[in-house]
Amino acid sequence: MRLLQKFRNIGKSSQYKGSSNYAYLATRVRAMKSKLVPKETYPRLMNMGISEITRLIEETEYKQDIDKLARTYSGVDLIEHGLNRNLAETFTKLIKISEGEPNYLIIEYLKNYDIWNIKTILRGKYYNASQNEIKEDLVSAGQLSYTFLSELAGKESYSEVISALEGTEYYPILIGYDETNLSDIENNLDKMYYNGLFNVIGESKSKDRKLFAKFIRTEIDIKNINTLFRLKKAGVKQDEIVDLIIDGGLELSTNSIQGLLPLSYDDFIQALNKYSFWDSISDAVGSDTDSLINVETQLKKHSLKSASSFSHVYPLSIVPIMDYIISKRNEVNNLRIIARGKAANLSDEIIMNQLVI
Amino acid sequence: MVGEELAVMDASGLRAIGAGLAVGLTGIASGIAEKDIGSAAIGAMAENEALFGKGLILTVIPETIVIFGLVVALLIK
């Protein structure tokens, strides 16, 4: 079979084609998913102090990371670094164990961590944060290694950081940075990320790419809806919102977003009830709600749920892997919220509201 | 002409060919079936070694196909 595939691929660009052993990858990823922290553990974590939380997560997948970092950090910093390290290790593992097409798609998808890290470092430099403060937020799950990133974090000024990134695909955008246009640069980096993803989706019509496309476009929908909610709530003007919208959503096409833009906050909520995510957020929205935390949590829950049911429809495809990536990210977020919330002495109710379980 | 050629073919030889086909083709079939199950089992075992027993059993279930082939081959002979 592999020989046949090789013959078929002759003449095509075979850089990221080749065999993709989905049976192996999807099952392994499912086994990894079964090791995530179960729902029932969160209420238990809520009743614990920082050191107990550390001990509990040490009994799960985070053991190695916590053990390794325990010498350098302590308390809530230890948890934060441990979680980040574990996230990076897990995603790097996904890249290592996959081959062929899924490998290429995962690498493209995880590039958002490179962008996240570059943004973190630039922001850190902008506010004169120390190397350690910046390192706290680095997640080296993308192509840039942790050592390289912490070197970047140790550089004196932003221009040294940018020149160290020469040769990467981000350099052409970063070169335009002059310490006043940080948000523009960040927006451009994000747009570049999605353009890259759409290039990947556009160049082939295989079943995998189609599923991947559907996944990415649903994610864009959720992002856009979040942006719209926040900006509408804050009463930002229509033309300022347009720049922040990402093109290519699945349900919310550019046209339907154009239709939503001029509406008032109440009408905007009314207009949302024809979309599939309405059922998940209908309880949380209303013109009288002060905070959007509930809406955003519900939207996140909706995307997690739809990813997981989608992965049952296509068991041997890229979908279970994407499902795992977002579930893992969500778990790390939840644990971080609990740890940071506890350290800041927030009430249990506030922490609970923020969790996406 | 065709009839003449058939007449000279030995019946036991044809049976042997049939038996060979029965074992050979079912062997290939179970190989194809086991390929995906085997790699999935390895994937699961890499994460959780306790699944070795289950993985092994599930992997060899398509062996029944080749066993049927073998039975048919024995019956033909």
Side-chain angles (χ1 to χ4, degrees), chain A residues 21 23-24 27-28 31-32 35 93, chain B residues 36 39-40 42-44 46-47:
Chain A
N21 195 344
Y24 172 78
T27 325
R28 184 157 181 183
M32 284 160 78
K35 288 193 208 159
K93 180 177 163 188
Chain B
D36 276 348
S39 51
I42 296 288
E47 290 303 318

Side-chain angles (χ1 to χ4, degrees), chain A residues 308-348:
Chain A
S308 127
S309 56
F310 201 37
S311 79
H312 289 294
V313 183
Y314 302 99
L316 292 182
S317 68
I318 187 82
V319 187
I321 296 133
M322 307 300 285
D323 175 34
Y324 177 72
I325 291 179
I326 63 170
S327 309
K328 177 77 190 175
R329 193 156 51 192
N330 185 48
E331 178 193 277
V332 166
N333 262 343
N334 280 342
L335 293 174
R336 180 182 295 127
I337 289 169
I338 295 179
R340 283 283 171 203
K342 289 275 169 193
N345 284 327
L346 294 178
S347 76
D348 283 2

